Amino acid sequence: MEDLSAKALQSDTNTYMLIREEVRKVVSKGKAAGVLRLVFHDAGTFEMDGNSGGMNGSIVYELERPENSGLKKSLKILDKAKGEVDAIQQVSWADMIAVAGAEAVSICGGPTIPVQLGRLDSLEPDAEGQLPQESLDAPGLKQSFERKGLSTQELVALSGAHTLGSKGFGSPFVFDNSYYKILLEKPWKSSGGMSSMVGLPSDHALVEDDECLRWIKKYADNQNMFFDDFKKAYIKLVNSGARWKSL
């Protein structure tokens, strides 16, 4: 048995390195935000009550939903990499997306996040209406994340992913703690044109909540702490609701 599990472990390590290599061929800094969003939209359907949804690759059946608009492009980018990996070793969409999101963070200067392999893909879409809505206030966001087994601290840490992309938090191609620094400035409250476009209503809501504000200030002051907490929360997120293949 020990021999078998050692072989399985070596095989997983080789597959992991292969996925990372192929992902890095297709994911540039400009495409990183979309790839990271795929992770959140696949894993974010998890609900502890009934143990439904989660990181299961079901996003491939859910691309027509309005909340997933724009994700077809990101999936297509990964499809090419997945084809290369599958030619050597079959890999699930859930594993592919989980590793790709971690690589997207790393490519943009964020922390290196190790991702365990072995998730099984769902054969059908997850239930609708499970993703946290962008219009939620802080209590609503906290409740939504709580139902997914994620704390307020993890909500604030994962929201830092919005530093990537076109939401107006620092450079769209650099993963750092600009998100928190800019949240504290509240530029959307100023009357100057474009600054009102910074962030989503859910981002604005976080800084108005005392518990969230405590973490926002910590992460604005300490990028290493943010990186560390983001890494832990990301690993928890991509393991949420996953069904694992047995050795």
Coordinates of all heavy atoms in Angstrom, one line a residue, residues 86-178:
D86 N -4.0 16.8 -20.8 CA -4.8 15.6 -21.0 C -4.1 14.6 -21.9 O -4.3 13.4 -21.8 CB -6.2 15.9 -21.5 CG -7.2 16.5 -20.4 OD1 -6.8 16.3 -19.2 OD2 -8.2 17.0 -20.8
A87 N -3.4 15.1 -22.9 CA -2.7 14.2 -23.8 C -1.7 13.3 -23.1 O -1.3 12.2 -23.5 CB -2.0 15.0 -24.9
I88 N -1.2 13.8 -21.9 CA -0.2 13.0 -21.1 C -0.9 12.4 -19.9 O -0.6 11.2 -19.6 CB 0.9 14.0 -20.7 CG1 1.6 14.6 -21.9 CG2 1.9 13.3 -19.8 CD1 2.5 15.7 -21.6
Q89 N -1.8 13.2 -19.2 CA -2.4 12.7 -18.0 C -3.8 13.4 -17.9 O -3.8 14.6 -17.8 CB -1.5 12.9 -16.8 CG -2.1 12.7 -15.5 CD -2.4 11.2 -15.2 OE1 -1.5 10.4 -15.4 NE2 -3.6 10.8 -14.9
Q90 N -4.9 12.6 -17.9 CA -6.2 13.3 -17.8 C -6.3 14.0 -16.5 O -5.9 13.6 -15.4 CB -7.3 12.2 -17.8 CG -7.5 11.5 -19.1 CD -8.4 12.3 -20.0 OE1 -9.4 12.8 -19.6 NE2 -8.1 12.5 -21.3
V91 N -6.8 15.2 -16.6 CA -7.0 16.1 -15.4 C -8.4 16.7 -15.4 O -9.0 16.9 -16.4 CB -5.9 17.2 -15.4 CG1 -6.0 18.1 -16.6 CG2 -5.9 18.0 -14.1
S92 N -9.0 16.8 -14.2 CA -10.3 17.4 -14.1 C -10.3 18.9 -14.3 O -9.3 19.5 -14.1 CB -10.9 17.1 -12.7 OG -10.2 17.8 -11.7
W93 N -11.5 19.4 -14.7 CA -11.6 20.9 -14.9 C -11.4 21.5 -13.5 O -10.8 22.6 -13.4 CB -13.0 21.2 -15.4 CG -12.9 21.4 -16.9 CD1 -13.6 20.7 -17.9 CD2 -12.2 22.4 -17.6 NE1 -13.3 21.2 -19.1 CE2 -12.4 22.2 -19.0 CE3 -11.3 23.5 -17.3 CZ2 -11.8 23.1 -20.0 CZ3 -10.7 24.3 -18.3 CH2 -11.0 24.1 -19.6
A94 N -11.9 20.9 -12.4 CA -11.8 21.5 -11.1 C -10.3 21.7 -10.7 O -10.0 22.7 -10.2 CB -12.5 20.6 -10.1
D95 N -9.5 20.6 -10.9 CA -8.1 20.8 -10.6 C -7.4 21.8 -11.5 O -6.6 22.6 -11.1 CB -7.4 19.4 -10.8 CG -7.5 18.5 -9.6 OD1 -8.0 18.9 -8.6 OD2 -7.1 17.3 -9.8
M96 N -7.8 21.8 -12.8 CA -7.2 22.7 -13.8 C -7.4 24.2 -13.4 O -6.5 25.0 -13.4 CB -7.8 22.4 -15.2 CG -7.1 23.1 -16.3 SD -5.6 22.3 -16.7 CE -4.7 23.6 -17.5
I97 N -8.7 24.5 -13.0 CA -9.0 25.8 -12.7 C -8.4 26.3 -11.4 O -7.9 27.4 -11.2 CB -10.6 26.0 -12.6 CG1 -11.2 25.8 -14.1 CG2 -11.0 27.3 -12.1 CD1 -12.7 25.7 -14.1
A98 N -8.4 25.3 -10.4 CA -7.8 25.6 -9.1 C -6.3 26.0 -9.2 O -5.8 26.9 -8.6 CB -8.0 24.5 -8.1
V99 N -5.6 25.2 -10.0 CA -4.1 25.4 -10.2 C -3.9 26.7 -11.0 O -3.1 27.5 -10.7 CB -3.4 24.2 -10.8 CG1 -2.0 24.6 -11.1 CG2 -3.5 23.0 -9.9
A100 N -4.7 26.9 -12.0 CA -4.6 28.1 -12.9 C -4.8 29.4 -12.1 O -4.1 30.4 -12.4 CB -5.6 28.0 -14.1
G101 N -5.8 29.4 -11.2 CA -6.0 30.6 -10.4 C -4.8 30.9 -9.5 O -4.4 32.1 -9.4
A102 N -4.2 29.9 -8.9 CA -3.0 30.1 -8.1 C -1.9 30.6 -8.9 O -1.1 31.5 -8.5 CB -2.7 28.8 -7.4
E103 N -1.7 30.1 -10.1 CA -0.6 30.5 -11.0 C -0.9 32.0 -11.5 O 0.1 32.7 -11.6 CB -0.5 29.6 -12.3 CG 0.1 28.2 -12.0 CD 1.4 28.3 -11.2 OE1 2.4 28.8 -11.8 OE2 1.4 27.9 -10.1
A104 N -2.1 32.3 -11.7 CA -2.5 33.7 -12.1 C -2.0 34.7 -11.1 O -1.4 35.7 -11.4 CB -4.0 33.8 -12.4
V105 N -2.2 34.3 -9.8 CA -1.8 35.2 -8.7 C -0.3 35.3 -8.7 O 0.3 36.4 -8.5 CB -2.3 34.6 -7.3 CG1 -1.6 35.3 -6.1 CG2 -3.8 34.7 -7.2
S106 N 0.4 34.2 -8.8 CA 1.9 34.2 -8.8 C 2.5 34.9 -9.9 O 3.4 35.7 -9.8 CB 2.3 32.7 -8.8 OG 3.7 32.6 -8.9
I107 N 1.9 34.8 -11.1 CA 2.4 35.5 -12.3 C 2.4 37.0 -12.1 O 3.2 37.7 -12.6 CB 1.5 35.1 -13.6 CG1 1.9 33.6 -14.0 CG2 1.7 36.0 -14.7 CD1 0.9 33.0 -15.0
C108 N 1.4 37.5 -11.4 CA 1.3 38.9 -11.1 C 2.0 39.4 -9.9 O 1.7 40.5 -9.4 CB -0.2 39.3 -11.1 SG -1.1 39.0 -12.7
G109 N 2.8 38.5 -9.3 CA 3.7 39.0 -8.2 C 3.1 38.6 -6.8 O 3.6 39.1 -5.8
G110 N 2.0 37.9 -6.8 CA 1.4 37.5 -5.5 C 2.1 36.3 -4.9 O 3.1 35.8 -5.4
P111 N 1.5 35.7 -3.8 CA 2.2 34.6 -3.2 C 2.1 33.3 -4.0 O 1.3 33.2 -4.9 CB 1.3 34.4 -1.9 CG 0.0 35.0 -2.3 CD 0.3 36.1 -3.2
T112 N 3.0 32.4 -3.8 CA 3.0 31.1 -4.4 C 2.0 30.2 -3.6 O 2.2 30.1 -2.4 CB 4.4 30.4 -4.4 OG1 5.3 31.3 -5.1 CG2 4.4 29.1 -5.1
I113 N 1.0 29.6 -4.2 CA 0.0 28.9 -3.5 C 0.0 27.4 -4.0 O -0.3 27.1 -5.2 CB -1.4 29.5 -3.8 CG1 -1.4 31.0 -3.5 CG2 -2.5 28.8 -3.0 CD1 -2.7 31.7 -3.9
P114 N 0.3 26.5 -3.1 CA 0.3 25.1 -3.5 C -1.1 24.6 -3.5 O -1.9 24.9 -2.7 CB 1.1 24.4 -2.3 CG 0.9 25.3 -1.2 CD 0.7 26.7 -1.7
V115 N -1.4 23.8 -4.6 CA -2.8 23.3 -4.8 C -2.7 21.8 -4.8 O -2.0 21.2 -5.7 CB -3.5 23.9 -6.0 CG1 -4.8 23.2 -6.3 CG2 -3.6 25.4 -5.9
Q116 N -3.5 21.1 -4.0 CA -3.6 19.6 -4.0 C -4.4 19.2 -5.2 O -5.4 19.9 -5.5 CB -4.2 19.2 -2.7 CG -4.3 17.7 -2.5 CD -5.0 17.3 -1.2 OE1 -5.3 18.1 -0.4 NE2 -5.5 16.0 -1.2
L117 N -4.1 18.1 -5.8 CA -4.8 17.6 -7.0 C -5.7 16.4 -6.5 O -5.5 15.8 -5.4 CB -3.9 17.1 -8.1 CG -3.0 18.1 -8.7 CD1 -2.3 17.4 -9.9 CD2 -3.7 19.3 -9.2
G118 N -6.7 16.1 -7.4 CA -7.6 14.9 -7.1 C -9.0 15.2 -7.0 O -9.9 14.4 -6.7
R119 N -9.4 16.5 -7.4 CA -10.9 16.8 -7.4 C -11.6 16.1 -8.6 O -11.0 16.0 -9.7 CB -11.1 18.3 -7.6 CG -10.6 19.1 -6.4 CD -10.5 20.6 -6.8 NE -9.7 21.3 -5.8 CZ -8.4 21.3 -5.6 NH1 -7.7 20.5 -6.5 NH2 -7.8 21.9 -4.7
L120 N -12.8 15.7 -8.4 CA -13.6 15.1 -9.4 C -14.5 16.2 -10.0 O -15.0 17.1 -9.3 CB -14.5 14.0 -8.9 CG -13.7 12.8 -8.3 CD1 -14.6 11.8 -7.6 CD2 -12.9 12.0 -9.4
D121 N -14.8 16.1 -11.3 CA -15.7 17.0 -11.9 C -17.2 16.6 -11.7 O -17.5 15.4 -11.8 CB -15.4 17.1 -13.4 CG -14.3 18.1 -13.7 OD1 -13.9 18.8 -12.8 OD2 -13.7 18.0 -14.8
S122 N -18.0 17.6 -11.6 CA -19.5 17.4 -11.6 C -19.9 17.2 -13.0 O -19.3 17.7 -14.0 CB -20.2 18.6 -11.0 OG -21.6 18.5 -11.2
L123 N -21.0 16.4 -13.2 CA -21.5 16.2 -14.5 C -22.7 17.0 -14.8 O -23.4 16.9 -15.9 CB -21.9 14.7 -14.7 CG -20.7 13.7 -14.5 CD1 -21.2 12.3 -14.5 CD2 -19.6 14.0 -15.5
E124 N -23.0 18.0 -13.9 CA -24.2 18.9 -14.1 C -23.9 20.2 -13.5 O -23.0 20.3 -12.7 CB -25.4 18.2 -13.5 CG -25.3 17.9 -12.1 CD -26.5 17.1 -11.5 OE1 -27.2 16.6 -12.2 OE2 -26.6 17.2 -10.2
P125 N -24.7 21.2 -13.9 CA -24.5 22.6 -13.3 C -24.9 22.6 -11.8 O -25.7 21.8 -11.4 CB -25.4 23.5 -14.1 CG -26.4 22.6 -14.8 CD -25.8 21.2 -14.9
D126 N -24.3 23.5 -11.1 CA -24.7 23.7 -9.7 C -26.0 24.5 -9.7 O -26.4 25.1 -10.7 CB -23.6 24.5 -8.9 CG -22.4 23.7 -8.6 OD1 -22.6 22.4 -8.5 OD2 -21.3 24.2 -8.4
A127 N -26.7 24.5 -8.6 CA -28.0 25.3 -8.4 C -27.7 26.8 -8.7 O -26.6 27.3 -8.4 CB -28.5 25.1 -7.0
E128 N -28.6 27.5 -9.2 CA -28.5 28.9 -9.5 C -28.6 29.7 -8.2 O -29.2 29.3 -7.2 CB -29.5 29.4 -10.5 CG -29.3 28.7 -11.9 CD -29.9 29.5 -13.0 OE1 -29.8 30.7 -13.0 OE2 -30.5 28.9 -13.9
G129 N -28.1 31.0 -8.3 CA -28.3 31.9 -7.2 C -27.5 31.6 -5.9 O -27.8 32.1 -4.8
Q130 N -26.3 30.9 -6.1 CA -25.5 30.6 -4.9 C -24.3 31.5 -4.7 O -23.7 31.6 -3.7 CB -25.0 29.1 -5.0 CG -26.0 28.1 -5.3 CD -26.8 27.7 -4.0 OE1 -27.3 28.6 -3.4 NE2 -26.9 26.4 -3.7
L131 N -24.0 32.2 -5.8 CA -22.8 33.2 -5.7 C -23.2 34.4 -4.9 O -24.4 34.9 -5.1 CB -22.4 33.6 -7.1 CG -21.6 32.6 -7.9 CD1 -21.3 33.1 -9.3 CD2 -20.3 32.2 -7.3
P132 N -22.3 35.0 -4.1 CA -22.6 36.2 -3.4 C -22.9 37.3 -4.5 O -22.1 37.4 -5.5 CB -21.3 36.5 -2.7 CG -20.6 35.3 -2.6 CD -21.0 34.5 -3.8
Q133 N -23.9 38.1 -4.3 CA -24.2 39.2 -5.3 C -23.4 40.4 -5.0 O -23.0 40.7 -3.9 CB -25.7 39.5 -5.2 CG -26.6 38.4 -5.7 CD -28.1 38.7 -5.3 OE1 -28.4 39.2 -4.2 NE2 -29.0 38.3 -6.1
E134 N -23.1 41.1 -6.1 CA -22.2 42.3 -6.0 C -22.9 43.5 -5.3 O -22.3 44.4 -4.9 CB -21.8 42.7 -7.5 CG -20.9 41.8 -8.2 CD -20.7 42.1 -9.6 OE1 -21.2 43.1 -10.1 OE2 -19.9 41.4 -10.3
S135 N -24.2 43.3 -5.2 CA -25.0 44.4 -4.6 C -25.2 44.3 -3.0 O -25.8 45.1 -2.4 CB -26.4 44.5 -5.2 OG -27.0 43.3 -5.1
L136 N -24.6 43.2 -2.5 CA -24.8 42.9 -1.1 C -24.1 43.9 -0.2 O -23.1 44.4 -0.5 CB -24.3 41.5 -0.7 CG -25.1 40.3 -1.1 CD1 -24.3 39.0 -0.8 CD2 -26.5 40.2 -0.5
D137 N -24.8 44.2 1.0 CA -24.1 45.0 2.0 C -23.2 44.1 2.8 O -23.2 42.9 2.7 CB -25.1 45.8 2.8 CG -26.1 44.9 3.6 OD1 -25.9 43.6 3.6 OD2 -27.0 45.4 4.2
A138 N -22.5 44.7 3.8 CA -21.5 43.9 4.6 C -22.2 42.8 5.4 O -21.7 41.6 5.3 CB -20.7 44.8 5.5
P139 N -23.3 43.0 6.1 CA -23.9 41.9 6.8 C -24.3 40.8 5.8 O -24.2 39.6 6.1 CB -25.1 42.6 7.5 CG -24.8 44.0 7.6 CD -23.9 44.3 6.4
G140 N -24.8 41.2 4.7 CA -25.3 40.2 3.7 C -24.1 39.4 3.2 O -24.2 38.2 3.0
L141 N -23.0 40.0 2.9 CA -21.7 39.4 2.5 C -21.2 38.4 3.5 O -20.9 37.3 3.2 CB -20.6 40.4 2.1 CG -20.7 41.1 0.8 CD1 -19.8 42.3 0.8 CD2 -20.4 40.2 -0.4
K142 N -21.2 38.9 4.8 CA -20.7 38.0 5.9 C -21.6 36.8 6.0 O -21.0 35.7 6.2 CB -20.7 38.8 7.2 CG -19.6 39.9 7.1 CD -19.1 40.4 8.5 CE -20.1 41.3 9.2 NZ -19.5 42.0 10.3
Q143 N -22.9 37.0 5.9 CA -23.8 35.8 6.0 C -23.6 34.8 4.9 O -23.5 33.6 5.1 CB -25.3 36.3 6.0 CG -25.8 36.8 7.3 CD -27.1 37.4 7.2 OE1 -27.7 37.5 6.1 NE2 -27.7 37.9 8.3
S144 N -23.4 35.4 3.7 CA -23.2 34.5 2.5 C -21.9 33.7 2.6 O -21.9 32.5 2.3 CB -23.1 35.4 1.2 OG -22.8 34.7 0.1
F145 N -20.9 34.4 3.1 CA -19.6 33.6 3.2 C -19.6 32.6 4.4 O -19.0 31.6 4.3 CB -18.4 34.6 3.4 CG -17.8 35.1 2.1 CD1 -18.6 35.9 1.2 CD2 -16.5 34.8 1.8 CE1 -18.1 36.3 0.0 CE2 -16.0 35.2 0.5 CZ -16.8 36.0 -0.3
E146 N -20.4 33.0 5.4 CA -20.5 32.1 6.6 C -21.2 30.8 6.1 O -20.8 29.7 6.6 CB -21.4 32.8 7.6 CG -21.2 32.3 9.0 CD -22.0 33.1 10.1 OE1 -21.8 34.3 10.2 OE2 -22.9 32.4 10.7
R147 N -22.2 30.9 5.2 CA -22.9 29.7 4.7 C -21.9 28.8 3.9 O -22.2 27.6 3.7 CB -24.1 30.1 3.8 CG -25.2 30.7 4.6 CD -26.5 30.6 3.8 NE -26.4 31.2 2.5 CZ -26.6 32.6 2.2 NH1 -27.0 33.3 3.2 NH2 -26.5 33.1 1.0
K148 N -20.8 29.4 3.5 CA -19.8 28.7 2.7 C -18.6 28.2 3.6 O -17.6 27.7 3.1 CB -19.3 29.5 1.5 CG -20.4 30.0 0.6 CD -20.0 30.9 -0.5 CE -21.2 31.5 -1.2 NZ -22.1 30.6 -1.8
G149 N -18.8 28.5 4.9 CA -17.7 28.1 5.8 C -16.6 29.0 5.9 O -15.5 28.6 6.3
L150 N -16.8 30.2 5.4 CA -15.7 31.2 5.4 C -15.9 32.4 6.3 O -17.0 32.9 6.4 CB -15.5 31.8 3.9 CG -15.1 30.7 2.9 CD1 -15.3 31.2 1.5 CD2 -13.6 30.4 3.0
S151 N -14.9 32.7 7.1 CA -15.0 33.8 8.1 C -15.0 35.2 7.5 O -14.7 35.4 6.3 CB -13.9 33.6 9.1 OG -12.6 34.0 8.4
T152 N -15.2 36.2 8.3 CA -15.2 37.6 7.9 C -13.7 37.9 7.5 O -13.5 38.6 6.4 CB -15.6 38.5 9.0 OG1 -17.0 38.2 9.3 CG2 -15.5 40.0 8.6
Q153 N -12.8 37.4 8.2 CA -11.4 37.6 7.8 C -11.1 37.0 6.4 O -10.5 37.7 5.6 CB -10.4 37.0 8.8 CG -9.0 37.1 8.4 CD -8.0 36.3 9.3 OE1 -8.4 35.6 10.2 NE2 -6.7 36.3 9.0
E154 N -11.6 35.8 6.2 CA -11.4 35.2 4.9 C -12.1 35.9 3.7 O -11.6 36.0 2.6 CB -11.8 33.7 4.9 CG -10.8 32.9 5.7 CD -11.3 31.5 6.2 OE1 -12.6 31.4 6.4 OE2 -10.5 30.6 6.5
L155 N -13.3 36.5 4.1 CA -14.0 37.3 3.1 C -13.2 38.5 2.7 O -13.0 38.8 1.5 CB -15.3 37.8 3.7 CG -16.0 39.1 3.2 CD1 -16.4 38.9 1.8 CD2 -17.2 39.5 4.1
V156 N -12.6 39.2 3.7 CA -11.8 40.4 3.4 C -10.5 40.0 2.6 O -10.1 40.7 1.7 CB -11.4 41.2 4.7 CG1 -10.5 42.3 4.4 CG2 -12.7 41.6 5.4
A157 N -9.9 38.9 3.0 CA -8.6 38.5 2.4 C -8.9 38.1 0.9 O -8.2 38.5 0.0 CB -8.0 37.3 3.1
L158 N -10.0 37.3 0.7 CA -10.3 36.9 -0.7 C -10.7 38.1 -1.6 O -10.5 38.1 -2.8 CB -11.4 35.8 -0.7 CG -10.9 34.4 -0.2 CD1 -12.1 33.5 0.0 CD2 -9.9 33.8 -1.1
S159 N -11.4 39.1 -1.0 CA -11.8 40.2 -1.7 C -10.6 41.0 -2.3 O -10.7 41.7 -3.3 CB -12.6 41.2 -0.8 OG -13.8 40.6 -0.4
G160 N -9.4 40.8 -1.7 CA -8.2 41.4 -2.2 C -7.8 41.0 -3.6 O -7.0 41.6 -4.3
A161 N -8.4 39.9 -4.1 CA -8.2 39.5 -5.5 C -8.7 40.5 -6.5 O -8.2 40.6 -7.6 CB -9.0 38.2 -5.8
H162 N -9.5 41.4 -6.0 CA -10.0 42.5 -6.9 C -8.9 43.5 -7.2 O -9.1 44.5 -8.0 CB -11.2 43.3 -6.2 CG -12.5 42.5 -6.3 ND1 -13.6 42.9 -5.7 CD2 -12.8 41.3 -6.9 CE1 -14.6 42.0 -6.0 NE2 -14.1 41.0 -6.7
T163 N -7.7 43.4 -6.6 CA -6.6 44.2 -7.0 C -6.2 43.9 -8.4 O -5.7 44.8 -9.1 CB -5.4 44.0 -6.0 OG1 -4.4 45.0 -6.3 CG2 -4.8 42.6 -6.2
L164 N -6.5 42.7 -8.9 CA -6.3 42.4 -10.4 C -7.5 42.8 -11.2 O -8.6 42.7 -10.8 CB -6.0 40.9 -10.5 CG -4.7 40.3 -10.0 CD1 -4.6 38.9 -10.3 CD2 -3.5 41.1 -10.6
G165 N -7.2 43.2 -12.5 CA -8.3 43.5 -13.4 C -8.6 44.9 -13.4 O -7.9 45.8 -12.9
S166 N -9.8 45.2 -13.9 CA -10.1 46.6 -14.3 C -11.1 47.3 -13.2 O -11.8 48.2 -13.6 CB -10.8 46.6 -15.6 OG -11.9 45.7 -15.6
K167 N -11.0 46.9 -12.0 CA -11.9 47.5 -11.0 C -11.3 48.8 -10.4 O -11.9 49.4 -9.5 CB -12.2 46.5 -9.9 CG -13.0 45.3 -10.4 CD -13.5 44.4 -9.4 CE -14.3 43.3 -10.0 NZ -13.5 42.3 -10.7
G168 N -10.1 49.2 -10.8 CA -9.5 50.5 -10.4 C -8.7 50.5 -9.1 O -8.4 51.5 -8.6
F169 N -8.3 49.3 -8.7 CA -7.5 49.2 -7.5 C -6.0 49.0 -7.8 O -5.5 47.9 -8.0 CB -7.9 48.0 -6.6 CG -9.3 48.2 -6.0 CD1 -10.4 47.5 -6.5 CD2 -9.6 49.1 -5.0 CE1 -11.7 47.6 -6.0 CE2 -10.9 49.3 -4.5 CZ -11.9 48.6 -5.0
G170 N -5.3 50.1 -8.0 CA -3.8 49.9 -8.4 C -3.7 49.4 -9.8 O -4.6 49.6 -10.6
S171 N -2.5 48.8 -10.1 CA -2.2 48.3 -11.4 C -3.1 47.1 -11.7 O -3.2 46.2 -10.8 CB -0.8 47.9 -11.6 OG -0.6 47.0 -12.7
P172 N -3.8 47.0 -12.8 CA -4.6 45.8 -13.1 C -3.8 44.5 -13.3 O -4.4 43.4 -13.3 CB -5.3 46.1 -14.4 CG -4.5 47.3 -15.0 CD -3.8 48.0 -13.9
F173 N -2.5 44.6 -13.4 CA -1.6 43.4 -13.6 C -0.7 43.1 -12.4 O 0.1 42.2 -12.6 CB -0.8 43.7 -14.9 CG -1.5 44.2 -16.0 CD1 -1.1 45.4 -16.6 CD2 -2.6 43.6 -16.5 CE1 -1.8 46.0 -17.7 CE2 -3.3 44.1 -17.6 CZ -2.9 45.3 -18.2
V174 N -0.9 43.7 -11.3 CA 0.0 43.5 -10.2 C -0.9 43.0 -9.0 O -1.8 43.7 -8.6 CB 0.8 44.7 -9.8 CG1 1.6 44.5 -8.5 CG2 1.7 45.2 -10.9
F175 N -0.5 41.9 -8.4 CA -1.2 41.4 -7.2 C -0.5 41.9 -6.0 O 0.6 41.5 -5.7 CB -1.2 39.9 -7.2 CG -2.2 39.3 -6.2 CD1 -3.4 38.9 -6.5 CD2 -1.7 39.1 -4.9 CE1 -4.3 38.4 -5.5 CE2 -2.6 38.6 -3.9 CZ -3.9 38.2 -4.2
D176 N -1.1 42.9 -5.3 CA -0.5 43.4 -4.1 C -1.6 43.9 -3.2 O -2.7 43.5 -3.4 CB 0.5 44.6 -4.5 CG -0.2 45.7 -5.2 OD1 -1.4 45.8 -5.2 OD2 0.5 46.6 -5.8
N177 N -1.2 44.7 -2.2 CA -2.2 45.2 -1.2 C -2.9 46.5 -1.5 O -3.5 47.2 -0.7 CB -1.7 45.1 0.2 CG -0.6 46.1 0.4 OD1 0.0 46.6 -0.5 ND2 -0.3 46.5 1.7
S178 N -2.7 47.0 -2.8 CA -3.3 48.3 -3.2 C -4.8 48.3 -2.9 O -5.4 49.4 -2.6 CB -3.1 48.5 -4.7 OG -1.8 48.5 -5.1

